[in-house]
Structure formats: C-alpha cells, structure tokens
Amino acid sequence: TVEPSTPVGRGNTREWNTNGSNVGTTVNGRFYSGHALDQMQSQGLTPSVVEDTIARGTMSPGNTSGTWKYSTGQASVVVNRGGNVVTVHAGGR
C-alpha cells in the first residue's frame, strides 16, 4: 500500500518531490541548479521548454549581478555567466 503522504505524481499533484530535495545536475550539456530543478518539477516544465526559452526568449539583466533572464509567454529562465540555469518560472514572470 501507499502511505497518504507518499508523493506519487498523479495528474493534479503539482509537486511530487519534496521542494529542496533535488541536487544540481547536467541535462543535455547544460547545468541546472537544484533550485531550478525543484522549480521545473513543481511547475511542470521540461528541459526542452527551458532550452526553447533561452533560445527564443527576450533577454534582460537578471536580479542578481552576473545573471540574465530569458522570457517567453511560456516561461522565464535565469542563467548565470557560465550559462548554468539558476531558476525557472512558468508563465514568463
């Protein structure tokens, strides 16, 4: 049996992993911070959406020195000088 608190990833479950539990890793040659992976997972964003946002989005300075924000109507992605994904938000905020 599955305990009630066990994350199972059902359709209406937005977050099926405990926030903050991901560690940074490289996906298709680009490093994603653990925070970025947490955000992607909780908001249902895939690496292909992130890459498309970086490739096609409007670029502006990020909130932190040395970062850039790429935005589309679908998502916003913040990367650092090294091109690593720092954070991701759905909806282009």
Side-chain angles (χ1 to χ4, degrees):
T1 65
V2 176
E3 293 295 319
S5 63
T6 302
V8 293
R10 292 191 178 117
N12 290 332
T13 303
R14 290 194 53 157
E15 190 169 350
W16 43 271
N17 195 2
T18 305
N19 195 22
S21 66
N22 284 302
V23 295
T25 192
T26 300
V27 179
N28 296 327
R30 185 183 302 274
F31 184 82
Y32 288 71
S33 71
H35 174 73
L37 294 169
D38 288 339
Q39 295 292 75
M40 292 167 62
Q41 190 170 14
S42 70
Q43 297 175 51
L45 298 171
T46 63
S48 62
V49 170
V50 172
E51 291 299 329
D52 184 63
T53 300
I54 294 169
R56 302 174 193 273
T58 302
M59 188 174 85
S60 61
N63 292 337
T64 305
S65 178
T67 62
W68 294 96
K69 179 179 177 181
Y70 295 88
S71 299
T72 63
Q74 191 172 15
S76 65
V77 177
V78 176
V79 299
N80 64 16
R81 286 186 180 118
N84 301 329
V85 177
V86 176
T87 191
V88 178
H89 296 282
R93 295 184 291 181

